[in-house]
Amino acid sequence: MTNKKKIAASIGAVGMAAVIALGGTFAWQSINQQALNEAMDTVNPGGRLHDDFNGRNKDVYVENFTEDGTAIFARVRLDEYMEIGQGAGSEGDDNQADPVVADTDLTDKTTWVTRLPGENDTFGVYWDWNMGGQTVYMPTFNMNKDSLKADINGTYDGTSPDDDLHYDDYQEYAVGDTVTGDEVYDADTNDIDEESPVEGTNITTIPDQEHEAALTGTATVITMQEWIEDYDMAPGAYWVWDTDGWAYWAQPIESGETTGLLLDEIIHSNPPSDSWYYGINVVGQFVTADDIGFLNGTGFYDEEAGTLPTAAAELLLEAITGTDIPNTTVTVTAAVADKEGVPVDDASVTWSVSGQAEDDTSINASTGLLTVSPSEAADTVLTVTATYTADGLPYTDTYTVTVTAADAP
């Protein structure tokens, strides 16, 4: 067994991990938009990333298309790229444009910049985003769990790249509208996303199925710090936007349901005077409650598919999935009072930690979230310090935390 060091909670086991990682790239050159899809060879538990775009209204949300009652959990990341100059958006020799952010590359999306909460000084100079809300959507006809394709409604070229009728393939729906189409299901036992699936071998198509437009869920978008401080760390119908750029839907997505909107609208508030290209790469990952993946490096813990959940995100995942992740975190709180013993509700507390601590043992200075390294020696005593001001006078309190050991399955 593997020895884990931690300071709270017992350790629970999970099964094999299942995750999908997919990206839809949505790019503008002048007013041109292209929609592309990227995929990784991983298992899809039943999520479909939607992007509906008509040139301004841009709805990003997740649908659980399963019919077997399986709930899924989702996180989504938004990466940006922009370049300005002659030939912007071209991959040929005519492209003399410079990227807005140094060392980023149009053709290498791993270099694109993940939008972080509160950070819009770079691309926000040109673009305003509206986030959260609700829309009317058409449930996906792509029921194939092997398929990692995003469900895209609306492209710049529309039905023909040679005319000026841009986005004429965008469909706006009202609740109750119906569409008849072919539903596609997986027909094999592997998890491969075949580029050219064979009917009867890889897929089964059921023609002339009627789908009815419905409302998505509704959402607000909050930061991780807001979730910790203002939302009592509770599940709910909101996107929790973490400091690393991953936004987590903070409750299960049940069969046949969708999240609310993460992104609702983009507004070109300050166009450059030269040719330009702007892209948003939307990356989604989906897991089931028993397949988060922390034990075997898959799911949300697949470092090839994305960054690992932060310590705060692990607390969120525990809260919404009911899974006991062998994390090494605890939230430290302080009851602040003045010299008369009267509680001070608006005291600003700054935390620090010291002791025989490993380099990656730390405490969030504003939230009091203490993270202890798994390699921290058992029985290590950490000194946690809270500093604050009351009645204009500085105060300091200290706490001690003892690291304990537990065995992971």
Side-chain angles (χ1 to χ4, degrees):
M1 296 196 292
T2 301
N3 196 42
K4 294 279 188 180
K5 302 299 187 296
K6 57 184 220 166
I7 53 180
S10 60
I11 296 177
V14 298
M16 294 298 291
V19 63
I20 176 177
L22 43 80
T25 300
F26 313 98
W28 294 263
Q29 178 185 353
S30 295
I31 56 172
N32 294 330
Q33 189 243 5
Q34 298 173 336
L36 307 173
N37 293 300
E38 298 174 319
M40 296 188 67
D41 184 14
T42 46
V43 180
N44 182 358
R48 190 69 64 209
L49 180 67
H50 282 256
D51 184 278
D52 305 338
F53 182 65
N54 66 1
R56 173 163 173 165
N57 185 68
K58 182 175 178 63
D59 298 332
V60 173
Y61 53 99
V62 171
E63 174 190 2
N64 180 350
F65 64 81
T66 62
E67 299 174 325
D68 58 4
T70 300
I72 65 173
F73 300 85
R75 68 175 186 171
V76 175
R77 192 185 75 221
L78 304 170
D79 300 339
E80 296 175 276
Y81 175 82
M82 189 172 182
E83 61 185 27
I84 301 173
Q86 180 181 338
S90 170
E91 297 183 13
D93 294 336
D94 292 337
N95 189 342
Q96 306 299 314
D98 293 321
V100 171
V101 176
D103 299 323
T104 57
D105 190 319
L106 168 67
T107 61
D108 183 1
K109 296 179 186 65
T110 64
T111 68
W112 290 22
V113 180
T114 299
R115 174 70 72 100
L116 305 180
E119 293 191 10
N120 62 353
D121 294 339
T122 303
F123 303 103
V125 172
Y126 305 100
W127 296 90
D128 291 330
W129 286 8
N130 288 329
M131 305 183 75
Q134 183 179 46
T135 191
V136 178
Y137 81 107
M138 183 60 63
T140 186
F141 285 87
N142 184 4
M143 319 291 278
N144 180 10
K145 286 189 175 183
D146 285 356
S147 172
L148 305 181
K149 293 181 179 178
D151 200 309
I152 295 174
N153 176 15
T155 60
Y156 178 81
D157 286 340
T159 58
S160 174
D162 300 324
D163 60 32
D164 294 327
L165 298 177
H166 305 305
Y167 309 108
D168 64 345
D169 57 345
Y170 173 81
Q171 299 293 320
E172 185 169 351
Y173 299 105
V175 173
D177 287 351
T178 59
V179 170
T180 299
D182 297 342
E183 290 182 345
V184 179
Y185 292 84
D186 185 21
D188 55 35
T189 58
N190 62 48
D191 301 318
I192 299 172
D193 184 12
E194 298 88 2
E195 292 186 8
S196 302
V198 177
E199 179 68 29
T201 299
N202 308 120
I203 58 172
T204 297
T205 301
I206 304 177
D208 302 326
Q209 298 301 297
E210 184 177 85
H211 286 198
E212 183 174 316
L215 284 170
T216 67
T218 188
T220 54
V221 180
I222 62 175
T223 66
M224 184 62 76
Q225 185 166 340
E226 288 173 327
W227 180 72
I228 292 172
E229 296 181 351
D230 302 329
Y231 283 74
D232 296 324
M233 301 174 71
Y238 31 81
W239 288 100
V240 180
W241 200 3
D242 204 355
T243 54
D244 61 358
W246 283 107
Y248 294 80
W249 184 244
Q251 64 182 14
I253 311 168
E254 303 294 343
S255 289
E257 294 185 358
T258 68
T259 68
L261 301 183
L262 175 60
L263 185 58
D264 176 44
E265 182 182 37
I266 59 169
I267 302 168
H268 203 186
S269 54
N270 183 28
S273 58
D274 204 344
S275 299
W276 54 269
Y277 171 104
Y278 175 67
I280 301 175
N281 191 43
V282 185
V283 181
Q285 291 183 318
F286 316 128
V287 298
T288 53
D290 60 344
D291 292 337
I292 295 173
F294 58 84
L295 286 181
N296 50 11
T298 54
F300 288 166
Y301 290 78
D302 182 355
E303 294 190 72
E304 293 186 3
T307 55
L308 302 181
T310 65
E314 287 189 326
L315 294 178
L316 172 65
L317 290 171
E318 286 190 323
I320 66 178
T321 67
T323 302
D324 185 14
I325 301 173
N327 55 44
T328 55
T329 63
V330 65
T331 300
V332 185
T333 59
V336 180
D338 63 17
K339 61 184 179 180
E340 304 289 334
V342 178
V344 179
D345 295 330
D346 60 350
S348 178
V349 178
T350 300
W351 296 95
S352 62
V353 61
S354 62
Q356 297 175 1
E358 297 287 340
D359 291 341
D360 51 353
T361 293
S362 62
I363 191 166
N364 187 303
S366 60
T367 64
L369 184 68
L370 177 63
T371 303
V372 176
S373 167
S375 58
E376 190 75 75
D379 300 325
T380 296
V381 176
L382 305 175
T383 301
V384 178
T385 302
T387 58
Y388 54 91
T389 300
D391 290 341
L393 298 175
Y395 290 83
T396 299
D397 284 339
T398 59
Y399 309 81
T400 58
V401 176
T402 302
V403 178
T404 59
D407 290 331

